[in-house]
Each structure stands twice: as structure tokens, then as C-alpha cells.
Amino acid sequence: MERVRVSWALGDHEIEYRWLLGEAPRDRLLVFLHEGLGSVSLWRDFPERLCQALGIQGLVFSRWGYGASSPRRPEERWGPDFMHRQALDFLPAFFQALGLEPGRERLWLYGHSDGGSIALIYAAYHPEGLEGLILAAPHVLVEEVTVASIRKAREAYLEGDLRLRLARHHRDPDSAFFGWCDAWLDPAFRTWDIRHLLPRVGVPILAIQGYEDEYGTMLQIEEIARLAPKVELVKLSRCGHSPHRDQPEAVIQAVARFFRAQGG
């Protein structure tokens, strides 16, 4: 695992990251954006498997506050704009710190949950060098089922074993959990909605959703298909909020077919 110091709007942070399939050409790069409680290690082997299927290099990292990256300070609170800040402030600074130049490298983004929302926001404002998006269980608006499930997660963290399980993947599990949980449960977050950005996302989008997703319904990806110009949907049975864990083969096959169809 490698680290890089990223200077951006909210300070200087050490970010853990890992290159995948380093022997592949660097002309295309698949960047993985994790979920609200994710990290490099929580992806397990899925990024490597997907990059091998596509034959391209990958980049996986833990956002500030997650994994082995710099933790969030206990007094810091993430506002309803935290995904916008990650997309518009952090990602460009992170790419610059790694010496990546979108346009020289043709980028694909794989975003899971909050990471999918971050990918959409980034694509709406930074189309240069971007070839496509793969979105798994993304959020474009706040649904009651999402808020209810996050409340249950909070109970499991405070009273159950969720904190112990997250501690295997985060240097500071409180940083990761409460940064995400407190932002989503903030009453001000109820009006969060990025659907107005979707018509601006001109790159092809593959949006994947499970029928048993406890954090969102098919409305999320159906709104993407209704408002963005180039969208293909994949709806998976026997699949919850993490398609790459519940249906990895189906996801890899769908992404590989979509990638080839776009000239990859």
C-alpha cells in the first residue's frame, strides 16, 4: 500500500492508495470510489478481478476519514455538501498529487453508493478525459428507506458489533462511521438532490441496482436513466446494497460488455 499527501480545501491529508494491474497500458485507468463506510480493504479482490477482465489499470484509495488515510478529527462534522467537496475539491487535488492528467489518461470511474454520487458530481463538472461511469447502488436523492437503514446502522454501531467489524478496515472507525452517519442523518440533508446535474453528464453510464438494496430503491437508477443522456441499467435479483459482493460475476460480466461496447 502506498500513501500520498493531498493538499486541498479542507487541509493536508495522507491518503492510502494502490495501483492495480500495473503491467497494463496506462492509456486507460479505472478509478474506484468506495461507499460511505468503505475503504481500500473493504473492496477485497473485486477491483483486481474487474481490472483483469477489462485489461486496464486500476486505482483504488480510501477517502479522507477512511481506511488508513488521515482520520477525521472528532470535532469535525461533514455537511450536506460533503460529496460535492469530495468530487469537486478533493478528487482533482488527489489526481494532481499522483501526477494524473485527465485527458492524457482516459478515465473510467466505478462508484459504489456515495462513491457513485461522487462520480456523477465529478462527471458533471469535469468531463475532460472521462470516458464512462459505472455506478453501483448510487444515490441521486434521499429516500426514506435510506434514512431508516442508516438509523439501524447507527444502532448496530452503538449497541452491536458493527464497530468491531469496521475496525478491521479503518484505523479510526469512529471517524468513518460518524462522518458518514451524522451527515446523512442531519435534517438539512433531507433536501440533498443531484438530479439537476444529470443532464450535464454526457459520458456513457452503466447503473447497477439490487432489488434487495436496503439503502435505496430502483428509483435511484431510473432517475439517472430518465435524466442523463446515455444510460444503461442493470437490475439484479438476490442483490443488496453491494452488488460487487452479492453478485460479483454478474457485475463483472455486465461491466465488461458495457466497456467493450464503448470501444474499450
Side-chain angles (χ1 to χ4, degrees), residues 50 53-54 206 250-262 264:
L50 182 57
L54 303 183
L206 179 66
V251 171
I252 290 171
Q253 290 176 15
V255 173
R257 176 182 48 77
F258 183 75
F259 183 72
R260 287 193 296 269
Q262 311 310 319

Side-chain angles (χ1 to χ4, degrees), residues 59-133:
L59 172 63
V60 62
F61 68 97
S62 297
R63 297 196 301 272
W64 162 55
Y66 295 93
S69 295
S70 295
R72 175 186 58 86
R73 294 194 304 273
E75 69 275 11
E76 288 178 318
R77 294 291 180 268
W78 296 344
D81 65 343
F82 78 96
M83 286 185 274
H84 282 73
R85 303 206 105 183
Q86 288 289 332
L88 304 181
D89 296 334
F90 174 78
L91 264 185
F94 177 56
F95 290 157
Q96 183 178 28
L98 291 179
L100 294 176
E101 296 180 17
R104 182 186 66 191
E105 286 93 1
R106 292 172 288 173
L107 298 181
W108 282 74
L109 303 181
Y110 185 111
H112 174 214
S113 189
D114 285 10
S117 307
I118 292 167
L120 283 167
I121 297 167
Y122 179 88
Y125 289 94
H126 293 285
E128 59 277 3
L130 193 60
E131 285 196 338
L133 304 179

Side-chain angles (χ1 to χ4, degrees), residues 99-223:
L100 294 176
E101 296 180 17
R104 182 186 66 191
E105 286 93 1
R106 292 172 288 173
L107 298 181
W108 282 74
L109 303 181
Y110 185 111
H112 174 214
S113 189
D114 285 10
S117 307
I118 292 167
L120 283 167
I121 297 167
Y122 179 88
Y125 289 94
H126 293 285
E128 59 277 3
L130 193 60
E131 285 196 338
L133 304 179
I134 301 116
L135 310 174
H139 304 285
V140 296
L141 73 159
V142 179
E143 294 183 277
E144 184 55 40
V145 64
T146 313
V147 176
S149 291
I150 292 173
R151 288 199 188 104
K152 290 180 183 177
R154 190 175 190 276
E155 292 175 8
Y157 190 84
L158 294 174
E159 302 173 11
D161 68 346
L162 180 56
R163 188 182 191 282
L164 181 62
R165 289 187 281 124
L166 288 178
R168 301 169 189 160
H169 301 281
H170 301 284
R171 187 171 80 188
D172 184 340
D174 288 351
S175 164
F177 184 82
F178 289 111
W180 165 77
C181 174
D182 290 350
W184 270 91
L185 295 184
D186 185 338
F189 197 77
R190 291 301 186 94
T191 60
W192 179 88
D193 190 324
I194 60 170
R195 285 177 291 180
H196 64 286
L197 295 178
L198 297 177
R200 299 175 53 170
V201 182
V203 297
I205 298 171
L206 179 66
I208 305 166
Q209 186 81 21
Y211 280 104
E212 284 75 47
D213 189 341
E214 66 275 30
Y215 286 96
T217 71
M218 289 295 166
L219 175 65
Q220 301 288 343
I221 63 170
E222 288 168 354
E223 285 293 272

